[in-house]
Amino acid sequence: MNISIFGMGYVGAVSAACLARDGHNVIGVDVDPTKLELLRQGQSPIVEEGIQELTREVVEQGRLTVTDNADESIGGSTLSFVCVGTPSQPNGSQDLKAIEHVAAQIGAALAGHDHYHVVVIRSTVRPGTVMSRVRPVLEAHSGKKLGEGFGLAFQPEFLREGTSIRDYDNPPFTVVGGDCNRTLDCIKPLFEHLPCEFIGTDISTAEMLKYACNAFHAVKIVFANEIGRVSQTLGVDSREVMRLVTQDRQLNISPAYLRPGFAFGGSCLPKDLRALLYIAKEQDAEVPMLTGVIPSNQQQIDHALQFILRSEKRRVGMIGLSFKSGTDDLRESPLVTLAEQLIGKGIDLRIHDPNVQLSRLIGANRRYIEEKLPHIGRLLIDDCAELIRESDIVMVGLSDAHLVEQVIAEAGEAQVVLDLVGMPGRDRLKAAYRGICW
């Protein structure tokens, strides 16, 4: 394939060399004459393991050429990658001047060519940028419409400095957000030889993915360092602690818990986190990220509360009271906290939880309701269908399949379903739907 790459910085230079090595004809485009001259001589403008040898090889083979002329590059290619910088401005927002300038150049070049051209943004940008900022510029300067004269996509890059060529050849996945299947089909052949899955998605999801991954990496580093600081004050080997943490592939390093949903609760997580924070305080170890976990968890409860209060609907049915499905454990359940706040705001609340029914409860849980939550106990309803029928808002706090199906079957058009668990089959709902954070 004939490919243009706009921006011969770190990502652009590595991508150009690797794509050319894989047999494609690559045109590198940049405004910096020094970079262009280095590349013409077979020298990469960046410092990276193996990049000089690879660049020299593909330039000598004629697979990689360079220019400062956008029209020349677009005329000689069917696909363009945009790899220019999007630096931070003083307030933290992105400076998009470079990416908009390149989009204008590409658009003007497209105006003079008849072939369908795919533009792939690789620069990290705020979700919505490709469609709201790049697309209008391309359309205005080309006189063509998206999907007719050109395709548009976003592909997040995950190249680490120092190991970028190895990362390019062994990615965990290849994710591309495209405007349509035609665009994705044009991009897929470039990467389908890699030992990973090619995943096509929408553009905004792909844009947000890059931020989510980088934020998660930052959180992991800070988490390990905060555990390290606390461990050090106790004379514990934090490296060994974290080595063992990462041995757990079922819960620790896995999809477990990494799904947007409601707040955490139960008998372990809140209690143990508070204990760890107390230890840190005792030992004068500063752990600001861990300290922020419980307030952030409370924000998820507040988020649900504010949605209900803003709706101005007064009759709310809550499906679920225990801290998760399959248990009657009410200890530190976020649903209990939310129920108490709703009651305090004067909401007409009814609750159904098949595992929390006064007629069936025994032992500690029965005493807990009778002594600590008698006002909530009086709101429990055994019949889920009755609760749904009598509610303006049906809040789904349990993921049990039979409860979800009952909500889908019973909730009507005049009602709103507030989903805290990610219920399957929601496309079959007659009621209005709202996810807690999706």
Side-chain angles (χ1 to χ4, degrees):
M1 187 182 293
N2 296 327
I3 301 166
S4 294
I5 297 183
F6 287 79
M8 288 289 101
Y10 190 85
V11 174
V14 172
S15 299
C18 290
L19 285 166
R21 176 206 60 193
D22 293 342
H24 303 285
N25 297 312
V26 180
I27 306 170
V29 188
D30 206 287
V31 296
D32 187 337
T34 302
K35 288 182 181 179
L36 297 180
E37 186 56 33
L38 283 171
L39 286 163
R40 289 188 184 102
Q41 297 173 12
Q43 301 176 48
S44 177
I46 66 168
V47 176
E48 176 68 29
E49 180 183 342
I51 193 65
Q52 296 300 334
E53 297 82 356
L54 183 56
T55 302
R56 185 181 309 111
E57 177 185 334
V58 295
V59 169
E60 290 176 352
Q61 292 173 348
R63 295 281 190 187
L64 174 58
T65 59
V66 295
T67 182
D68 60 359
N69 189 311
D71 187 68
E72 175 187 334
S73 65
I74 295 299
S77 60
T78 57
L79 185 146
S80 294
F81 287 102
V82 177
C83 306
V84 298
T86 53
S88 290
Q89 301 197 87
N91 65 357
S93 65
Q94 286 185 316
D95 185 344
L96 297 175
K97 287 195 293 288
I99 202 168
E100 291 181 331
H101 177 69
V102 168
Q105 288 185 313
I106 294 174
L110 288 174
H113 298 281
D114 293 331
H115 68 274
Y116 185 83
H117 195 93
V118 173
V119 180
V120 185
I121 308 300
R122 297 211 78 189
S123 309
T124 301
V125 293
R126 171 179 174 162
T129 297
V130 170
M131 294 301 283
S132 68
R133 302 287 292 271
V134 176
R135 174 186 178 176
V137 174
L138 286 170
E139 290 184 335
H141 285 80
S142 68
K144 300 179 179 181
K145 293 295 183 182
L146 176 65
E148 298 173 4
F150 65 93
L152 192 54
F154 178 83
Q155 182 186 13
E157 55 83 17
F158 301 104
L159 305 179
R160 296 170 296 172
E161 294 189 30
T163 61
S164 61
I165 295 177
R166 278 177 287 166
D167 289 344
Y168 183 96
D169 290 334
N170 297 279
F173 50 26
T174 297
V175 178
V176 179
D179 67 290
C180 64
N181 287 332
R182 181 183 181 184
T183 294
L184 294 175
D185 289 342
C186 289
I187 301 169
K188 186 175 182 179
L190 301 179
F191 304 104
E192 60 186 356
H193 67 285
L194 296 174
C196 66
E197 183 181 2
F198 181 93
I199 303 171
T201 186
D202 63 273
I203 291 175
S204 292
T205 296
E207 289 171 316
M208 190 64 198
L209 174 66
K210 180 60 185 292
Y211 282 107
C213 288
N214 281 355
F216 189 40
H217 299 328
V219 165
K220 287 185 289 185
I221 291 168
V222 172
F223 172 77
N225 287 341
E226 290 195 355
I227 293 296
R229 293 200 293 272
V230 177
S231 298
Q232 186 180 55
T233 67
L234 300 171
V236 176
D237 183 351
S238 62
R239 286 293 181 98
E240 178 64 6
V241 171
M242 292 308 299
R243 186 186 73 82
L244 293 174
V245 165
T246 59
Q247 295 302 301
D248 179 354
R249 299 293 199 271
Q250 293 184 40
L251 298 180
N252 292 347
I253 311 298
S254 75
Y257 305 121
L258 285 173
R259 293 184 297 273
F262 200 43
F264 66 75
S267 60
C268 295
L269 299 187
K271 171 181 69 69
D272 291 347
L273 181 55
R274 283 195 295 268
L276 179 61
L277 293 175
Y278 185 78
I279 292 169
K281 184 178 179 180
E282 275 189 322
Q283 302 299 123
D284 291 326
E286 295 291 334
V287 287
M289 188 186 81
L290 290 172
T291 300
V293 172
I294 288 176
S296 182
N297 194 53
Q298 179 61 44
Q299 282 294 317
Q300 200 71 340
I301 300 174
D302 294 342
H303 188 56
L305 175 66
Q306 291 306 314
F307 170 77
I308 293 169
L309 296 181
R310 286 195 300 269
S311 74
E312 298 184 350
K313 297 180 184 295
R314 310 308 295 173
R315 298 186 305 165
V316 175
M318 176 184 286
I319 300 177
L321 190 61
S322 60
F323 84 96
K324 67 176 183 179
S325 295
T327 179
D328 62 354
D329 195 344
L330 300 174
R331 289 175 292 179
E332 303 214 40
S333 168
L335 291 173
V336 170
T337 302
L338 179 56
E340 291 180 318
Q341 291 179 348
L342 290 169
I343 294 168
K345 294 293 185 179
I347 295 296
D348 180 7
L349 181 66
R350 295 292 182 270
I351 303 168
H352 172 77
D353 188 322
N355 293 309
V356 184
Q357 297 177 14
L358 286 178
S359 60
R360 294 173 50 192
L361 283 177
I362 59 174
N365 278 320
R366 186 179 185 90
R367 286 196 303 274
Y368 184 83
I369 284 189
E370 290 175 343
E371 295 174 6
K372 304 286 188 181
L373 307 169
H375 51 299
I376 287 181
R378 292 191 291 269
L379 305 178
L380 292 172
I381 294 179
D382 290 348
D383 187 342
C384 185
E386 178 187 343
L387 175 138
I388 295 169
R389 286 194 303 270
E390 295 183 355
S391 300
D392 298 320
I393 296 178
V394 179
M395 189 160 36
V396 181
L398 296 177
S399 57
D400 304 55
H402 70 283
L403 294 174
V404 169
E405 284 300 318
Q406 199 161 6
V407 171
I408 292 172
E410 299 282 348
E413 293 180 1
Q415 295 170 289
V416 176
V417 171
L418 176 59
D419 180 10
L420 309 183
V421 297
M423 52 187 287
R426 54 182 178 264
D427 57 310
R428 293 184 282 121
L429 274 169
K430 297 184 288 291
Y433 174 85
R434 167 69 178 251
I436 180 64
C437 59
W438 55 85

